[in-house]
Structure formats: structure tokens, C-alpha cells
Coordinates of all heavy atoms in Angstrom, one line a residue:
M746 N 3.2 65.6 -55.7 CA 2.3 65.4 -56.8 C 3.1 64.5 -57.8 O 4.3 64.7 -58.1 CB 2.0 66.7 -57.5 CG 1.0 66.5 -58.7 SD 0.6 68.1 -59.4 CE -1.0 68.4 -58.6
P747 N 2.4 63.4 -58.4 CA 3.1 62.5 -59.3 C 3.5 63.2 -60.6 O 2.9 64.2 -61.0 CB 2.1 61.4 -59.5 CG 0.8 62.0 -59.2 CD 1.0 63.1 -58.2
A748 N 4.5 62.7 -61.3 CA 4.9 63.2 -62.6 C 4.1 62.8 -63.7 O 4.1 63.4 -64.8 CB 6.4 62.8 -62.8
S749 N 3.3 61.7 -63.6 CA 2.4 61.2 -64.6 C 1.0 60.9 -64.1 O 0.9 60.6 -62.9 CB 3.0 60.0 -65.3 OG 3.2 58.9 -64.4
F750 N 0.1 60.9 -64.9 CA -1.3 60.7 -64.5 C -2.0 59.8 -65.4 O -1.8 59.7 -66.6 CB -2.1 62.1 -64.5 CG -1.4 63.1 -63.7 CD1 -0.4 63.9 -64.2 CD2 -1.8 63.2 -62.3 CE1 0.2 64.9 -63.4 CE2 -1.1 64.2 -61.5 CZ -0.2 65.0 -62.0
S751 N -3.0 59.0 -64.9 CA -3.8 58.1 -65.7 C -4.9 58.9 -66.4 O -5.2 60.1 -66.0 CB -4.5 57.0 -64.8 OG -5.4 57.6 -64.0
T752 N -5.5 58.4 -67.4 CA -6.5 59.0 -68.1 C -7.7 59.3 -67.2 O -8.3 60.4 -67.2 CB -7.0 58.2 -69.3 OG1 -5.9 57.9 -70.2 CG2 -8.1 58.9 -70.1
A753 N -8.0 58.3 -66.3 CA -9.1 58.5 -65.4 C -8.9 59.6 -64.4 O -9.8 60.4 -64.1 CB -9.3 57.2 -64.6
M754 N -7.7 59.8 -63.9 CA -7.3 60.9 -63.0 C -7.5 62.2 -63.7 O -8.1 63.2 -63.2 CB -5.9 60.8 -62.5 CG -5.7 59.6 -61.5 SD -3.9 59.4 -61.1 CE -3.6 60.9 -60.2
I755 N -7.1 62.3 -65.0 CA -7.2 63.6 -65.7 C -8.6 63.9 -66.0 O -9.1 65.0 -65.9 CB -6.4 63.4 -67.0 CG1 -4.9 63.4 -66.7 CG2 -6.6 64.6 -68.0 CD1 -4.0 63.0 -67.8
A756 N -9.4 62.9 -66.4 CA -10.8 63.0 -66.7 C -11.6 63.5 -65.4 O -12.4 64.5 -65.5 CB -11.5 61.8 -67.2
R757 N -11.3 62.9 -64.3 CA -11.9 63.3 -63.0 C -11.6 64.8 -62.7 O -12.4 65.5 -62.3 CB -11.4 62.4 -61.9 CG -12.4 62.3 -60.8 CD -12.0 61.1 -59.8 NE -11.5 59.9 -60.4 CZ -10.3 59.4 -60.2 NH1 -9.5 59.9 -59.3 NH2 -9.9 58.3 -60.8
A758 N -10.3 65.1 -62.8 CA -9.9 66.5 -62.5 C -10.5 67.5 -63.5 O -10.8 68.6 -63.0 CB -8.4 66.6 -62.6
A759 N -10.7 67.1 -64.7 CA -11.3 68.0 -65.7 C -12.8 68.0 -65.7 O -13.5 68.9 -66.3 CB -10.8 67.7 -67.1
G760 N -13.4 67.0 -65.0 CA -14.8 66.9 -64.9 C -15.5 66.5 -66.2 O -16.6 66.9 -66.6
V761 N -14.8 65.6 -67.0 CA -15.3 65.1 -68.3 C -15.2 63.6 -68.2 O -14.5 63.0 -67.4 CB -14.5 65.6 -69.5 CG1 -14.6 67.2 -69.6 CG2 -13.0 65.3 -69.4
K762 N -15.8 62.9 -69.2 CA -15.8 61.5 -69.3 C -14.4 61.0 -69.8 O -13.7 61.8 -70.5 CB -16.9 61.0 -70.2 CG -18.3 61.3 -69.6 CD -19.3 60.7 -70.5 CE -20.7 61.1 -69.9 NZ -21.6 60.0 -69.8
N763 N -14.1 59.8 -69.5 CA -12.8 59.2 -69.9 C -12.6 59.3 -71.4 O -11.5 59.7 -71.9 CB -12.6 57.8 -69.5 CG -12.3 57.6 -68.0 OD1 -12.3 58.6 -67.3 ND2 -12.0 56.4 -67.6
A764 N -13.6 59.0 -72.2 CA -13.4 59.1 -73.7 C -13.1 60.5 -74.2 O -12.2 60.6 -75.1 CB -14.7 58.6 -74.4
K765 N -13.7 61.5 -73.6 CA -13.4 62.8 -74.0 C -12.0 63.2 -73.6 O -11.2 63.9 -74.4 CB -14.4 63.8 -73.5 CG -14.2 65.2 -74.0 CD -15.3 66.1 -73.5 CE -15.2 67.5 -74.1 NZ -16.3 68.4 -73.8
A766 N -11.6 62.8 -72.4 CA -10.2 63.1 -71.9 C -9.2 62.4 -72.8 O -8.2 63.0 -73.2 CB -10.1 62.7 -70.5
L767 N -9.5 61.2 -73.1 CA -8.5 60.4 -74.0 C -8.4 61.0 -75.3 O -7.3 61.2 -75.8 CB -9.0 59.0 -74.1 CG -8.1 58.1 -74.9 CD1 -6.7 58.0 -74.4 CD2 -8.7 56.7 -75.0
S768 N -9.5 61.5 -75.9 CA -9.4 62.1 -77.2 C -8.6 63.4 -77.2 O -7.8 63.6 -78.0 CB -10.9 62.5 -77.7 OG -10.8 63.2 -78.9
R769 N -8.8 64.2 -76.1 CA -8.0 65.4 -76.0 C -6.5 65.1 -75.7 O -5.7 65.8 -76.3 CB -8.6 66.3 -74.8 CG -7.9 67.5 -74.6 CD -8.0 68.5 -75.7 NE -7.4 69.8 -75.4 CZ -6.5 70.4 -76.2 NH1 -6.2 69.9 -77.4 NH2 -5.9 71.5 -75.8
L770 N -6.3 64.1 -74.9 CA -4.9 63.8 -74.6 C -4.2 63.3 -75.9 O -3.0 63.6 -76.2 CB -4.8 62.7 -73.6 CG -5.1 63.1 -72.2 CD1 -5.4 61.9 -71.3 CD2 -4.0 64.0 -71.6
E771 N -4.9 62.5 -76.8 CA -4.3 62.1 -78.0 C -4.0 63.3 -78.9 O -3.0 63.3 -79.7 CB -5.2 61.1 -78.7 CG -5.2 59.7 -77.9 CD -6.2 58.8 -78.4 OE1 -7.2 59.2 -79.1 OE2 -6.1 57.6 -78.1
D772 N -4.9 64.3 -78.9 CA -4.7 65.5 -79.7 C -3.4 66.2 -79.2 O -2.5 66.7 -80.0 CB -5.8 66.5 -79.6 CG -7.1 66.0 -80.4 OD1 -6.9 65.1 -81.3 OD2 -8.1 66.5 -80.1
L773 N -3.3 66.3 -77.9 CA -2.1 67.0 -77.3 C -0.8 66.2 -77.6 O 0.2 66.7 -77.8 CB -2.3 67.1 -75.8 CG -3.4 68.1 -75.3 CD1 -3.6 68.0 -73.8 CD2 -2.9 69.5 -75.7
E774 N -1.0 64.8 -77.6 CA 0.2 64.0 -77.9 C 0.7 64.2 -79.4 O 1.9 64.3 -79.6 CB -0.1 62.5 -77.7 CG 1.0 61.6 -78.0 CD 0.6 60.1 -77.8 OE1 -0.5 59.8 -78.1 OE2 1.5 59.4 -77.4
R775 N -0.3 64.4 -80.3 CA 0.1 64.6 -81.7 C 0.8 66.0 -81.8 O 1.7 66.2 -82.6 CB -1.2 64.6 -82.6 CG -1.6 63.2 -83.0 CD -2.7 63.2 -84.0 NE -4.0 63.7 -83.5 CZ -4.8 62.9 -82.9 NH1 -4.5 61.7 -82.6 NH2 -6.0 63.4 -82.5
N776 N 0.4 67.0 -81.0 CA 1.1 68.3 -81.0 C 2.4 68.3 -80.2 O 3.0 69.4 -80.1 CB 0.1 69.3 -80.4 CG -1.1 69.6 -81.3 OD1 -1.0 69.3 -82.5 ND2 -2.2 70.0 -80.7
G777 N 2.7 67.2 -79.5 CA 4.0 67.2 -78.8 C 3.9 67.8 -77.4 O 4.9 68.2 -76.8
E778 N 2.7 68.0 -76.9 CA 2.5 68.7 -75.6 C 2.5 67.7 -74.4 O 2.8 68.1 -73.3 CB 1.2 69.5 -75.6 CG 1.3 70.7 -76.6 CD 0.0 71.5 -76.6 OE1 -0.4 71.9 -75.5 OE2 -0.5 71.7 -77.7
V779 N 2.1 66.5 -74.6 CA 2.1 65.4 -73.6 C 2.6 64.2 -74.3 O 2.7 64.0 -75.5 CB 0.7 65.1 -73.0 CG1 0.1 66.4 -72.3 CG2 -0.3 64.6 -74.0
W780 N 3.1 63.2 -73.4 CA 3.7 62.0 -73.9 C 3.1 60.8 -73.1 O 2.7 61.0 -71.9 CB 5.2 61.9 -73.7 CG 5.8 62.9 -74.6 CD1 6.3 62.7 -75.8 CD2 6.1 64.3 -74.3 NE1 6.8 63.9 -76.3 CE2 6.7 64.9 -75.4 CE3 5.8 65.1 -73.2 CZ2 7.1 66.2 -75.5 CZ3 6.2 66.4 -73.2 CH2 6.8 67.0 -74.4
R781 N 3.0 59.7 -73.7 CA 2.6 58.5 -73.0 C 3.8 57.9 -72.2 O 4.9 57.8 -72.8 CB 2.1 57.4 -74.0 CG 0.7 57.8 -74.6 CD 0.3 56.6 -75.5 NE -0.7 57.1 -76.4 CZ -2.0 56.7 -76.3 NH1 -2.3 55.7 -75.5 NH2 -2.9 57.2 -77.2
D782 N 3.5 57.5 -71.0 CA 4.5 56.9 -70.2 C 3.9 55.6 -69.7 O 3.3 55.5 -68.6 CB 4.8 57.8 -69.0 CG 6.0 57.3 -68.1 OD1 6.7 56.3 -68.6 OD2 6.1 57.8 -67.0
G783 N 4.0 54.6 -70.6 CA 3.2 53.3 -70.3 C 1.8 53.6 -70.5 O 1.3 54.0 -71.6
K784 N 1.0 53.4 -69.5 CA -0.5 53.6 -69.6 C -0.8 55.0 -69.0 O -2.0 55.3 -68.8 CB -1.3 52.5 -68.8 CG -1.2 51.2 -69.5 CD -2.1 50.2 -68.8 CE -2.1 48.9 -69.5 NZ -3.0 48.0 -69.0
R785 N 0.2 55.8 -68.7 CA 0.0 57.1 -68.0 C 0.4 58.2 -69.0 O 1.0 57.9 -70.0 CB 0.7 57.1 -66.7 CG 0.2 56.0 -65.8 CD 1.0 56.0 -64.5 NE 0.8 57.1 -63.6 CZ -0.2 57.2 -62.8 NH1 -1.1 56.3 -62.7 NH2 -0.3 58.3 -62.0
W786 N 0.1 59.4 -68.6 CA 0.4 60.6 -69.4 C 1.3 61.5 -68.6 O 1.1 61.7 -67.4 CB -0.9 61.3 -69.8 CG -1.8 60.5 -70.7 CD1 -2.8 59.6 -70.3 CD2 -1.8 60.4 -72.1 NE1 -3.4 59.0 -71.3 CE2 -2.8 59.5 -72.5 CE3 -1.0 61.0 -73.1 CZ2 -3.0 59.2 -73.8 CZ3 -1.3 60.7 -74.4 CH2 -2.3 59.8 -74.8
T787 N 2.2 62.2 -69.3 CA 3.1 63.1 -68.6 C 3.4 64.3 -69.5 O 3.4 64.2 -70.8 CB 4.4 62.4 -68.2 OG1 5.2 63.3 -67.5 CG2 5.2 61.8 -69.4
T788 N 3.8 65.4 -68.9 CA 4.3 66.6 -69.7 C 5.8 66.6 -69.7 O 6.4 67.5 -70.3 CB 3.7 67.9 -69.1 OG1 4.1 68.0 -67.8 CG2 2.2 67.9 -69.3
E789 N 6.4 65.7 -69.0 CA 7.9 65.7 -68.9 C 8.4 65.1 -70.2 O 7.9 64.1 -70.8 CB 8.4 64.8 -67.8 CG 8.1 65.4 -66.4 CD 8.5 64.6 -65.3 OE1 9.1 63.5 -65.5 OE2 8.3 65.0 -64.1
Q790 N 9.5 65.7 -70.7 CA 10.1 65.2 -72.0 C 10.5 63.7 -71.8 O 11.1 63.3 -70.7 CB 11.4 66.0 -72.3 CG 11.0 67.4 -72.7 CD 10.5 67.4 -74.2 OE1 10.7 66.5 -75.0 NE2 9.9 68.5 -74.5
P791 N 10.3 62.9 -72.8 CA 10.8 61.5 -72.7 C 12.3 61.5 -72.7 O 13.0 62.4 -73.3 CB 10.3 60.8 -74.0 CG 9.8 61.9 -74.9 CD 9.6 63.2 -74.0
P792 N 12.9 60.6 -72.0 CA 14.4 60.6 -71.9 C 15.0 60.2 -73.2 O 14.5 59.4 -74.0 CB 14.7 59.5 -70.8 CG 13.5 58.6 -70.9 CD 12.3 59.5 -71.2
T793 N 16.2 60.8 -73.5 CA 16.9 60.4 -74.7 C 17.7 59.1 -74.4 O 17.7 58.7 -73.2 CB 18.0 61.5 -75.0 OG1 18.9 61.6 -73.9 CG2 17.3 62.9 -75.2
D794 N 18.2 58.5 -75.4 CA 19.0 57.3 -75.2 C 20.1 57.5 -74.2 O 20.4 56.7 -73.3 CB 19.5 56.7 -76.5 CG 18.4 56.2 -77.4 OD1 17.3 55.9 -76.9 OD2 18.6 56.1 -78.6
L795 N 20.8 58.6 -74.3 CA 21.9 58.9 -73.5 C 21.5 59.1 -72.0 O 22.1 58.6 -71.1 CB 22.7 60.2 -74.0 CG 23.9 60.6 -73.1 CD1 24.9 59.5 -73.1 CD2 24.5 61.9 -73.7
S796 N 20.5 59.9 -71.8 CA 20.0 60.2 -70.4 C 19.5 58.9 -69.8 O 19.7 58.6 -68.6 CB 19.0 61.3 -70.4 OG 17.8 60.9 -71.0
A797 N 18.8 58.0 -70.6 CA 18.4 56.8 -70.0 C 19.5 55.9 -69.7 O 19.5 55.2 -68.6 CB 17.5 56.1 -71.1
A798 N 20.6 55.9 -70.5 CA 21.8 55.1 -70.2 C 22.5 55.6 -68.9 O 22.9 54.8 -68.1 CB 22.7 55.1 -71.4
L799 N 22.6 56.9 -68.8 CA 23.2 57.5 -67.6 C 22.4 57.2 -66.3 O 22.9 56.9 -65.3 CB 23.3 59.0 -67.8 CG 24.4 59.4 -68.7 CD1 24.3 60.9 -69.0 CD2 25.8 59.0 -68.2
D800 N 21.0 57.2 -66.5 CA 20.2 56.8 -65.3 C 20.4 55.4 -64.9 O 20.5 55.1 -63.7 CB 18.7 57.1 -65.7 CG 18.4 58.6 -65.7 OD1 19.2 59.4 -65.2 OD2 17.4 58.9 -66.3
R801 N 20.5 54.5 -65.9 CA 20.8 53.1 -65.6 C 22.1 52.9 -64.9 O 22.3 52.2 -64.0 CB 20.7 52.2 -66.9 CG 19.3 52.0 -67.4 CD 19.2 50.9 -68.4 NE 20.1 51.2 -69.6 CZ 19.8 51.9 -70.6 NH1 18.6 52.5 -70.7 NH2 20.7 52.1 -71.6
L802 N 23.1 53.6 -65.4 CA 24.5 53.5 -64.8 C 24.5 54.0 -63.4 O 25.0 53.4 -62.5 CB 25.4 54.3 -65.7 CG 26.9 54.4 -65.1 CD1 27.5 53.1 -65.1 CD2 27.7 55.4 -66.0
Q803 N 23.8 55.1 -63.2 CA 23.7 55.7 -61.8 C 23.0 54.8 -60.9 O 23.4 54.6 -59.7 CB 23.1 57.1 -61.9 CG 23.2 57.8 -60.6 CD 22.7 59.3 -60.7 OE1 22.0 59.6 -61.7 NE2 23.1 60.1 -59.8
A804 N 21.9 54.1 -61.4 CA 21.2 53.2 -60.5 C 22.0 52.0 -60.1 O 21.8 51.4 -59.1 CB 19.9 52.8 -61.3
R805 N 23.0 51.6 -61.0 CA 23.8 50.4 -60.7 C 25.0 50.7 -59.8 O 25.7 49.8 -59.4 CB 24.3 49.8 -62.0 CG 23.2 49.2 -62.8 CD 23.8 48.5 -64.0 NE 22.7 48.3 -65.0 CZ 22.8 48.3 -66.3 NH1 24.0 48.6 -66.8 NH2 21.8 48.1 -67.1
T806 N 25.3 51.9 -59.6 CA 26.5 52.3 -58.8 C 26.0 53.0 -57.5 O 25.0 53.7 -57.5 CB 27.4 53.2 -59.6 OG1 26.7 54.3 -60.0 CG2 28.0 52.4 -60.8
S807 N 26.8 52.8 -56.4 CA 26.4 53.4 -55.2 C 27.0 54.8 -54.9 O 26.4 55.6 -54.2 CB 26.7 52.4 -54.0 OG 28.1 52.2 -54.0
N808 N 28.2 55.0 -55.4 CA 28.8 56.3 -55.1 C 29.3 57.1 -56.3 O 30.3 57.8 -56.3 CB 30.0 56.0 -54.2 CG 31.1 55.1 -54.8 OD1 30.9 54.6 -55.9 ND2 32.2 55.0 -54.2
L809 N 28.6 56.9 -57.4 CA 28.9 57.7 -58.6 C 27.9 58.9 -58.7 O 26.7 58.8 -58.5 CB 28.7 56.8 -59.9 CG 28.9 57.4 -61.2 CD1 30.4 57.7 -61.4 CD2 28.5 56.5 -62.3
R810 N 28.5 60.0 -59.0 CA 27.8 61.2 -59.2 C 27.9 61.7 -60.6 O 29.0 61.9 -61.1 CB 28.3 62.3 -58.2 CG 27.4 63.6 -58.3 CD 27.9 64.5 -57.2 NE 27.2 65.8 -57.4 CZ 27.7 67.0 -57.2 NH1 28.9 67.1 -56.7 NH2 27.0 68.0 -57.4
I811 N 26.8 61.8 -61.3 CA 26.8 62.2 -62.7 C 26.3 63.6 -62.8 O 25.2 64.0 -62.3 CB 25.9 61.3 -63.6 CG1 26.5 59.9 -63.5 CG2 25.9 61.8 -65.0 CD1 25.6 58.8 -64.2
I812 N 27.1 64.5 -63.4 CA 26.7 65.9 -63.5 C 26.5 66.1 -65.0 O 27.3 65.9 -65.8 CB 27.9 66.8 -63.0 CG1 28.1 66.6 -61.6 CG2 27.5 68.3 -63.3 CD1 29.3 67.3 -61.0
R813 N 25.3 66.5 -65.3 CA 24.9 66.7 -66.7 C 24.8 68.2 -67.1 O 24.4 69.0 -66.3 CB 23.5 66.1 -66.9 CG 23.4 64.7 -66.7 CD 22.1 64.1 -67.0 NE 22.0 62.8 -66.5 CZ 20.9 62.1 -66.4 NH1 19.7 62.7 -66.6 NH2 20.9 60.8 -66.0
D814 N 25.3 68.5 -68.3 CA 25.2 69.8 -68.8 C 23.7 70.0 -69.3 O 23.3 69.2 -70.1 CB 26.2 70.0 -70.0 CG 26.2 71.4 -70.5 OD1 25.6 72.3 -69.9 OD2 26.7 71.6 -71.6
H815 N 23.1 71.0 -68.9 CA 21.6 71.2 -69.3 C 21.4 72.0 -70.5 O 20.4 72.5 -70.8 CB 20.9 71.9 -68.1 CG 20.8 71.0 -66.9 ND1 20.0 69.8 -66.9 CD2 21.4 71.0 -65.7 CE1 20.1 69.2 -65.8 NE2 20.9 70.0 -65.0
T816 N 22.5 72.2 -71.4 CA 22.3 72.9 -72.6 C 21.8 71.9 -73.6 O 22.2 70.8 -73.7 CB 23.6 73.5 -73.1 OG1 24.6 72.4 -73.2 CG2 24.2 74.5 -72.2
P817 N 20.8 72.3 -74.5 CA 20.2 71.4 -75.5 C 21.3 71.1 -76.5 O 22.1 71.9 -76.9 CB 19.1 72.2 -76.1 CG 19.3 73.6 -75.7 CD 20.2 73.6 -74.5
V818 N 21.2 69.9 -77.0 CA 22.1 69.4 -78.0 C 21.4 69.4 -79.4 O 20.3 68.9 -79.5 CB 22.6 67.9 -77.7 CG1 23.4 67.4 -78.9 CG2 23.3 67.9 -76.4
G819 N 22.0 69.9 -80.4 CA 21.5 69.9 -81.8 C 20.6 71.0 -82.0 O 19.8 71.3 -82.7

């Protein structure tokens, strides 16, 4: 199952029109329950600057293993 979904996919799954689904998604976004990922929607937390940098570093190296501490910061 994909990590993000288009408005049309969500509307189809909910059995509502795109406009109603978009309105509800925007409400959920204001409440911090979903995030835009380009033109798609996701419930996954957006990456922090640090995690995005680590992902880029890992993508550029072939044999580097990054172990992250999963405790929240701040």
C-alpha cells in the first residue's frame, strides 16, 4: 500500500466527490492530522531538516549505515 494518496483516490475510497474530499483533507491538514506531499496526501510526519539531510547522505553512499535514535527531540 502506498504511503501517500491523491485526492481522487481518497474520494473514491470514501465514496464522495473530489471537492468534498479536498475540503475534508484541508480541514485535517489544519488540525495537523494529514500533510501534503506534493500533490498527494499522507499521514506520515514530514521529514525534519536533519532526517532529510541524513536520507540524502545515505542515498549518495553505497555502504553507509545510519542508525537513528527514535526518541523525540525537544
Side-chain angles (χ1 to χ4, degrees):
M746 183 178 264
S749 63
F750 301 91
S751 69
T752 303
M754 289 172 67
I755 294 168
R757 204 171 321 124
V761 298
K762 295 185 183 224
N763 282 9
K765 185 172 184 174
L767 180 59
S768 174
R769 179 67 177 130
L770 286 165
E771 288 169 342
D772 289 341
L773 291 170
E774 181 181 34
R775 280 189 288 279
N776 292 335
E778 296 179 50
V779 298
W780 294 268
R781 289 181 197 246
D782 184 16
K784 292 186 175 185
R785 299 174 69 84
W786 296 90
T787 182
T788 56
E789 293 180 358
Q790 290 282 342
T793 63
D794 291 340
L795 178 60
S796 66
L799 289 171
D800 290 341
R801 286 192 304 274
L802 176 63
Q803 191 171 18
R805 291 185 198 147
T806 58
S807 60
N808 62 352
L809 179 68
R810 182 173 174 216
I811 297 173
I812 300 173
R813 298 182 187 165
D814 183 15
H815 292 292
T816 57
V818 177

